Amino acid sequence: MTEERQIPKPLLSGVIYGEIAYWIALLGMCVSIVGIVLYLIGFNQFFDPQAVLNGLFAGKDTAVIWKEAANTEVIYGHWYMDVLGKSDAIAMLGIGICCLAGVFGAWGSVIGMIANKEKPYIFLVFALIIAVILAMSAGGLISIH
């Protein structure tokens, strides 16, 4: 006599989060790889790679390394948006896209919970709080420092 194992069906909100986060992160990784390859072959760099490495190995402060490598003061926030023609900015854009994967995934999960009327509702409250915090962080409205 064989018994069939019952495999639990995943919740719709989890599937939505997983699919959104997966595809956006994959897109971000592809963009980053293009930027890294262009940077490694020396195409239109924003940072001087030799100055970055020398500063890192010398144990210099990050602000000093930035100033020496980019010949400018430290630019906070989404600095790469102003110099998207540079290879390292393209790589950083890809990293930014990967970070947004969690934000869009969280909002997709919240929408999935509301549409599917998933219970218990405490998970919806927590998902909504997380989605709001992630969106505010991505938008630069809140930060750690």
Side-chain angles (χ1 to χ4, degrees):
M1 188 189 252
T2 60
E3 258 184 56
E4 271 191 53
R5 284 184 34 186
Q6 293 290 346
I7 299 173
K9 186 177 177 189
L11 294 174
L12 177 64
S13 60
V15 173
I16 290 171
Y17 176 86
E19 288 293 320
I20 291 173
Y22 172 79
W23 287 109
I24 293 176
L26 190 64
L27 172 70
M29 285 187 290
C30 291
V31 171
S32 287
I33 289 171
V34 168
I36 290 169
V37 168
L38 291 173
Y39 185 77
L40 289 175
I41 62 174
F43 177 77
N44 202 13
Q45 299 166 327
F46 182 69
F47 293 106
D48 176 21
Q50 194 63 42
V52 171
L53 289 176
N54 290 341
L56 288 173
F57 289 132
K60 293 181 180 177
D61 185 55
T62 54
V64 174
I65 295 172
W66 183 295
K67 188 168 184 158
E68 291 175 357
N71 293 323
T72 181
E73 293 297 320
V74 177
I75 306 169
Y76 294 100
H78 302 286
W79 63 268
Y80 51 91
M81 298 301 279
D82 293 331
V83 289
L84 272 179
K86 307 285 186 178
S87 57
D88 36 6
I90 294 170
M92 191 61 207
L93 174 66
I95 294 170
I97 292 170
C98 284
C99 293
L100 284 177
V103 177
F104 288 121
W107 281 107
S109 178
V110 167
I111 292 168
M113 285 182 188
I114 292 170
N116 202 29
K117 296 181 175 61
E118 289 181 8
K119 295 176 186 166
Y121 294 113
I122 189 71
F123 293 137
L124 173 61
V125 171
F126 286 143
L128 186 59
I129 291 169
I130 290 169
V132 167
I133 290 171
L134 288 174
M136 289 174 66
S137 296
L141 299 175
I142 58 174
S143 67
I144 294 175
H145 66 280

